[in-house]
Amino acid sequence: YIDIDNLLANSIDIVGQAIGARSAVVFVKPTEEYTHWLSASYHPEPPYLTEMIADRLWDDLREKPEPWASNAELGMRDLSPANTELLLNLGAVVVIPILGRDRSMGLLALGRKVERRAVYNLEDVERLRSFAGHLAIAIERLVLVERQQQLVRETADAKLRALRAQINPHFLFNALNTIVASIDERPDLAEATVENLASIF
């Protein structure tokens, strides 16, 4: 994948189909520097999570990054009563934190399954946790690639600036000598050269 947005969009489609979910949504902050969430969704059905809701849930999930499920039989972690009620009202059935190597970076929320009486089980939750772990690794790698590309660009820019700093005095010296030499013999060429030199600078 070229970027994190494409990775999220394709991944959420694959996981939604593989797990048999009616809908799913993922929110990720790849690094601490990100001030907003990157997100993608599979099918426009509940859960309808927004960035504001993701922020609210994140305060609860970041402290204890364990899966949450509306099905109490799965024995998952509890959220605050307000967040539990919010998720139930939004149609979320399972929420899986996305854990990076050294920090939590996002969450995956799924709605009901496509099959009418189908419910999530522990195997589904473990598959989703595994997916979240692989997604975190892929995101971290893309972040490293982006940083490396940024360093390459910055290095190239610095080299170009240094080269320009070396070239500009010699170029200007040669251009002025050409103009001086052509003033007597070809004043029209001297005038055109001055205009070209001005447009370059």
Side-chain angles (χ1 to χ4, degrees):
Y1 294 103
I2 298 169
D3 59 33
I4 296 170
D5 287 324
N6 282 330
L7 172 68
L8 293 178
N10 290 317
S11 296
I12 198 71
D13 282 346
I14 291 167
V15 80
Q17 292 169 22
I19 209 83
R22 290 176 65 109
S23 63
V25 62
V26 62
F27 284 91
V28 172
K29 287 185 180 179
T31 65
E32 295 286 346
E33 292 82 37
Y34 274 73
T35 56
H36 65 283
W37 293 98
L38 299 179
S39 66
S41 60
Y42 169 72
H43 289 180
E45 294 183 23
Y48 298 119
L49 270 64
T50 63
E51 280 195 28
M52 208 161 82
I53 293 169
D55 280 333
R56 182 173 160 182
L57 294 171
W58 192 237
D59 290 337
D60 217 350
L61 284 169
R62 190 173 33 207
E63 293 173 17
K64 185 181 171 192
E66 294 292 326
W68 170 89
S70 62
N71 181 358
E73 286 80 33
L74 289 178
M76 297 290 123
R77 61 136 327 146
D78 291 327
L79 293 173
S80 67
N83 280 342
T84 298
E85 184 180 345
L86 175 66
L87 284 171
L88 293 173
N89 289 338
L90 292 171
V93 178
V94 175
V95 176
I96 307 289
I98 299 170
L99 305 175
R101 192 177 48 214
D102 57 354
R103 57 181 276 280
S104 299
M105 67 171 58
L107 59 97
L108 169 67
L110 293 100
R112 291 179 292 130
K113 287 202 170 198
V114 172
E115 291 182 32
R116 190 176 197 103
R117 295 184 184 191
V119 293
Y120 292 93
N121 57 37
L122 288 173
E123 185 181 330
D124 292 331
V125 172
E126 284 310 308
R127 286 171 64 196
L128 290 167
R129 288 180 84 171
S130 176
F131 162 76
H134 289 292
L135 183 62
I137 291 168
I139 289 169
E140 287 173 341
R141 286 182 179 166
L142 285 173
V143 166
L144 288 176
V145 168
E146 286 175 6
R147 285 184 180 156
Q148 184 179 12
Q149 288 173 343
Q150 180 66 26
L151 285 174
V152 167
R153 282 192 298 271
E154 288 172 1
T155 303
D157 287 346
K159 286 180 180 176
L160 186 58
R161 282 193 301 273
L163 189 59
R164 282 182 180 152
Q166 292 172 0
I167 290 173
N168 281 344
H170 298 295
F171 174 73
L172 183 58
F173 176 78
N174 291 337
L176 291 174
N177 278 337
T178 302
I179 292 168
V180 167
S182 60
I183 285 177
D184 289 335
E185 297 171 17
R186 295 205 41 211
D188 56 328
L189 177 62
E191 183 181 354
T193 305
V194 168
E195 289 173 357
N196 288 336
L197 185 62
S199 68
I200 288 170
F201 278 97

